[in-house]
Amino acid sequence: MPHARATHLTRRGLLAAGGALGLGAALAACGDDKGEGGGSTAARNGRSGPWSFKDDRGTTVKLDKVPADIVAFTGVGAALYDYGIQVKGVFGPTTTAGGKADVQAGDMDVSKVTVLGNAWGQFSVEKYAALAPDMLITTMFDAAGTLWYVPEESKKKIAQLAPSVGISVYDRQLTRPLQRMWELAESLGADMKAAKATDAKKRFEEAASRLRAAAKAKPGIKVMAGSASDQLFYVSGTDLSIDLEYFKALGVNFVEPPESAKRQGGGWYESLSWENVDKYEADIIMMDDRSSTIQPADITKATWKKLPAVKAGQVIARSPEPILSYEKCVPLLSGLAQALEKAKKVS
């Protein structure tokens, strides 16, 4: 992930992190009071009685019953949805300016959740309180355990209304948070023995094997992870991002900016002017697919169009904030594997 995750960085970087720059808040209708909640799933699967879960801060949340009214960061809600758990409310990039589901909302029906905020800094504490939440779930992008998209100025009020669970997506390989989300969904009553879940996990493992083989067959193909804004081009390092760390472990040969160059980006990325976008040689460019960033088809910079990978049509999408279900992560691996298999050396 280039400029999106370091929560201690500039306001520009933070805003870009949420994938909702320039978008207004969009509030969708709330789902049925209990019928759409995770508690109904738990009931169907015979889950009852006390519930507890130890999150990645080392905090153990204990409740008298399985949480039914859950509010989550949009991407977390999307992952739980894939496992059959419907959250009641979300915060984070959920709808686009046209009212359609944001890429980070996955397959969720955004008309069935209450959107507490659609952009960075937007979180309606009043709407949150009105949902009478049992629990809040989000990710964490730093070692301090900062809850992603929970505004600093209102975090104390939010914490008083319900306990929180944090899943770390900082400085580890993708497989770890995937497993943690699996465990969380199972604790909430999801049927992890269902064919949909087990088949997705198997397909993920097969996609990983395919990517490993493709990387081994094309060791000389250099891959660059980038993200575009109007003024700058960001080149991600692989050391902190869960997807890039995992892809690198599978053998993918990445462009790696030096630590000194990434320092201004909190260790996540190097910022380049568009005049210097050709600083690194790359055969494949993976571009940030979030709605806060400029997509490849909309980049008009002449220096971008002259890049060998761009001229060769070797530009693919990347999801810097993966939806943490095996189903949604399969295409991330298979897409990169396919790009490697077809790639020509152009740098």
Side-chain angles (χ1 to χ4, degrees):
M1 175 185 233
H3 59 300
R5 288 183 178 168
T7 55
H8 57 283
L9 300 179
T10 64
R11 179 170 176 79
R12 168 65 184 85
L14 286 167
L15 284 168
L21 276 177
L23 303 183
L27 294 173
C30 179
D32 293 340
D33 187 33
K34 293 289 183 180
E36 296 292 343
S40 60
T41 303
R44 288 197 302 272
N45 293 323
R47 299 286 180 123
S48 61
W51 179 89
S52 68
F53 186 83
K54 185 176 183 179
D55 76 358
D56 290 338
R57 297 170 296 183
T59 300
T60 299
V61 177
K62 297 181 179 180
L63 298 172
D64 293 335
K65 60 180 181 179
V66 178
D69 297 324
I70 299 170
V71 172
F73 173 69
T74 301
V76 171
L80 291 175
Y81 181 87
D82 285 348
Y83 291 129
I85 304 293
Q86 174 72 55
V87 301
K88 196 171 185 180
V90 294
F91 53 95
T94 308
T95 58
T96 65
K100 295 182 179 180
D102 188 273
V103 63
Q104 290 184 262
D107 293 331
M108 275 196 305
D109 184 343
V110 295
S111 71
K112 291 185 176 180
V113 292
T114 296
V115 183
L116 305 181
N118 202 51
W120 182 262
Q122 295 178 357
F123 190 114
S124 173
V125 179
E126 292 76 16
K127 284 179 168 46
Y128 182 56
L131 292 176
D134 295 326
M135 185 172 63
L136 178 147
I137 312 172
T138 188
T139 47
M140 302 180 298
F141 284 93
D142 60 22
T146 304
L147 297 177
W148 191 233
Y149 263 73
V150 174
E152 180 69 24
E153 63 273 14
S154 54
K155 68 178 184 180
K156 289 184 179 179
K157 291 181 180 179
I158 293 168
Q160 290 171 354
L161 293 168
S164 61
V165 165
I167 300 297
S168 180
V169 287
Y170 173 75
D171 194 17
R172 60 201 62 206
Q173 292 182 25
L174 176 62
T175 46
R176 286 180 62 186
L178 269 174
Q179 181 60 30
R180 292 294 283 147
M181 191 63 70
W182 176 285
E183 293 166 359
L184 177 58
E186 186 173 34
S187 78
L188 294 171
D191 182 3
M192 310 315 279
K193 294 181 180 179
K196 182 181 178 182
T198 58
D199 289 352
K201 194 170 186 179
K202 182 181 179 182
R203 286 187 288 110
F204 178 88
E205 293 164 353
E206 292 171 346
S209 296
R210 179 185 176 184
L211 180 54
R212 184 184 290 108
K216 185 176 181 180
K218 298 279 189 76
I221 296 296
K222 201 80 172 178
V223 181
M224 179 167 68
S227 185
S229 71
D230 185 54
Q231 299 297 321
L232 296 170
F233 183 84
Y234 304 90
V235 180
S236 285
T238 61
D239 294 336
L240 301 178
S241 298
I242 57 173
D243 62 329
L244 301 185
E245 280 200 18
Y246 184 51
F247 299 158
K248 181 171 67 174
L250 292 175
V252 178
N253 184 11
F254 279 101
V255 167
E256 190 69 61
E259 291 302 317
S260 57
K262 294 185 293 183
R263 192 170 298 129
Q264 199 170 25
W268 291 95
Y269 61 86
E270 177 181 3
S271 304
L272 299 176
S273 66
W274 282 103
E275 288 74 17
N276 296 316
V277 74
D278 60 352
K279 178 178 179 178
Y280 298 106
E281 294 184 345
D283 303 295
I284 296 173
I285 303 176
M286 303 176 68
M287 289 296 290
D288 189 337
D289 68 355
R290 292 168 302 168
S291 54
S292 65
T293 66
I294 301 175
Q295 296 306 300
D298 299 319
I299 299 175
T300 59
K301 308 291 185 181
T303 49
W304 163 261
K305 294 181 179 181
K306 291 179 181 178
L307 293 177
V310 176
K311 292 172 70 175
Q314 296 180 170
V315 178
I316 64 172
R318 176 195 170 212
S319 298
E321 293 185 62
I323 293 173
L324 296 173
S325 71
Y326 288 102
E327 179 182 332
K328 290 298 182 293
C329 288
V330 168
L332 310 185
L333 276 70
S334 58
L336 180 54
Q338 183 180 52
L340 283 168
E341 291 162 356
K342 294 182 176 181
K344 296 179 180 179
K345 184 70 179 173
V346 294
S347 63

